[in-house]
């Protein structure tokens, strides 16, 4: 449930970096969506202080990471405003970091020796094939996320992430027969309402930004048509 707070941290860092202006309505919408996600995934669990701290730290860093990614993608002077270029420079760092942590804490080679997924040649081929498919899908998803950030912002990405969570939960019910309580269903409904509200908010904001469009005015003479904005017309 703590991980569900990521959109809030994304919003906070968007305010700090100047990507979004603090608006009460936007804050309310994000809080509604986060509340819905918390209700959807709520279940009995044993509280652990260290685990809570780690997950909370991960959520905060996730919000900071996406905001810094938006900073890279939307500022051409930094030179890596292309999603492919961003992956090109960031992937090696992420790979080395994850590999180091895996070798330190997970002992993957010992896992391979005792895993039934690598005990025969056919299982090795099957496992590597599934891993490759997952890797390609993850690569495509990352490119889509970076493209979304470049063309919109991190808040929109976090809302898309909530939509993804709803799809995953729905598929788990359909495919695996997971049972949702009334509270979980309420959370699902609240999340959907929040997503609809955010889309309406973005649509209204875009219409507000485009309300003063360039309107050509042709004079009675044969002079060159002038161009005035809606604000000038009001003046």
């Amino acid at each position: 449930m703590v991980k569900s707070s990521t959109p809030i941290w994304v919003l906070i860092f968007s305010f700090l970096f100047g990507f979004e202006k603090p608006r009460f309505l936007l804050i309310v919408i994000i809080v509604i969506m986060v509340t819905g996600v918390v209700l959807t995934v709520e279940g009995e669990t044993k509280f652990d202080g260290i685990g809570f701290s780690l997950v909370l730290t991960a959520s905060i860093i996730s919000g900071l990471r996406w905001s810094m990614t938006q900073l890279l993608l939307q500022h051409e002077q930094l030179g890596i405003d292309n999603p492919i270029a961003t992956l090109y420079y960031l992937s090696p760092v992420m790979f080395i970091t994850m590999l180091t942590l895996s070798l330190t804490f997970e002992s993957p080679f010992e896992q391979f020796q005792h895993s039934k997924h690598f005990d025969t040649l056919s299982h090795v081929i099957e496992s590597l094939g599934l891993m490759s498919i997952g890797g390609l899908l993850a690569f495509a998803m990352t490119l889509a996320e970076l493209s979304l950030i470049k063309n919109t912002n991190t808040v929109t990405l976090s809302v898309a992430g909530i939509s993804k969570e709803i799809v995953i939960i729905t598929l788990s019910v359909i495919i695996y027969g997971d049972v949702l309580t009334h509270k979980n269903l309420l959370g699902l409904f609240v999340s959907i309402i929040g997503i609809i509200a955010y889309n309406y908010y973005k649509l209204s904001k875009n219409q507000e930004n485009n309300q003063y469009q360039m309107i050509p005015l042709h004079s009675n003479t044969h002079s060159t048509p002038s161009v005035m904005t809606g604000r000038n017309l009001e003046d």
Side-chain angles (χ1 to χ4, degrees):
M1 291 188 294
V2 181
K3 190 67 172 64
S4 303
S5 66
T6 299
I8 294 180
W9 298 110
V10 169
L11 184 63
I12 291 174
F13 283 112
S14 294
F15 291 156
L16 294 177
F17 280 84
F19 299 139
E20 286 280 353
K21 294 182 179 179
R23 297 173 183 262
F24 177 75
L25 180 59
L26 178 59
I27 296 174
V28 170
I29 291 174
I30 296 299
V31 170
I32 289 175
M33 282 189 287
V34 171
T35 302
V37 174
V38 170
L39 290 174
T40 303
V41 301
E42 185 182 13
E44 295 184 2
T45 183
K46 183 179 179 180
F47 179 81
D48 182 83
I50 297 178
F52 175 83
S53 301
L54 290 174
V55 175
L56 181 60
T57 302
S59 299
I60 297 174
I61 293 177
S62 178
L64 177 61
R65 177 192 63 167
W66 286 122
S67 295
M68 296 185 70
T69 302
Q70 181 175 346
L71 185 67
L72 290 175
L73 288 170
Q74 296 186 354
H75 289 75
E76 296 182 358
Q77 63 270 24
L78 296 178
I80 50 175
D81 58 325
N82 184 285
I84 297 293
T86 303
L87 273 181
Y88 177 80
Y89 287 105
L90 296 182
S91 293
V93 178
M94 293 187 290
F95 172 76
I96 293 175
T97 302
M98 295 300 296
L99 179 62
T100 302
L101 292 174
S102 177
L103 293 175
T104 303
F105 297 104
E106 296 180 338
S107 302
F109 295 108
E110 294 183 7
Q111 297 289 337
F112 291 155
Q113 292 177 358
H114 301 90
S115 174
K116 64 179 181 179
H117 300 291
F118 293 91
D119 56 355
T120 63
L121 180 60
S122 60
H123 286 170
V124 170
I125 295 175
E126 179 183 1
S127 298
L128 292 178
L130 292 174
M131 291 166 61
S132 299
I133 294 174
L136 289 174
L137 291 176
F139 177 77
M141 183 186 70
T142 304
L143 277 183
E145 290 175 339
L146 294 177
S147 298
L148 182 62
I149 291 176
K150 178 177 174 59
N151 293 287
T152 57
N153 53 48
T154 54
V155 179
T156 301
L157 176 68
S158 66
V159 174
I162 293 176
S163 303
K164 181 188 71 175
E165 296 295 332
I166 293 177
V167 172
I168 292 174
I169 293 172
T170 303
L171 290 177
S172 68
V173 173
I174 296 174
I175 298 175
Y176 298 107
D178 291 351
V179 179
L180 298 179
T181 64
H182 290 89
K183 185 178 293 186
N184 298 143
L185 292 174
L186 175 62
L188 198 64
F189 177 75
V190 171
S191 299
I192 294 174
I193 293 298
I195 293 172
I196 295 174
Y198 178 78
N199 282 277
Y200 178 78
Y201 166 82
K202 292 295 291 185
L203 180 62
S204 301
K205 185 179 177 182
N206 290 336
Q207 290 177 347
E208 178 183 344
N209 293 335
N210 296 329
Q211 65 177 338
Y212 298 112
Q213 298 179 353
M214 303 298 286
I215 304 175
L217 294 179
H218 298 274
S219 61
N220 293 330
T221 62
H222 295 287
S223 60
T224 304
S226 61
V227 178
M228 300 181 65
T229 63
R231 189 182 298 276
N232 291 332
L233 289 176
E234 292 177 358
D235 296 338

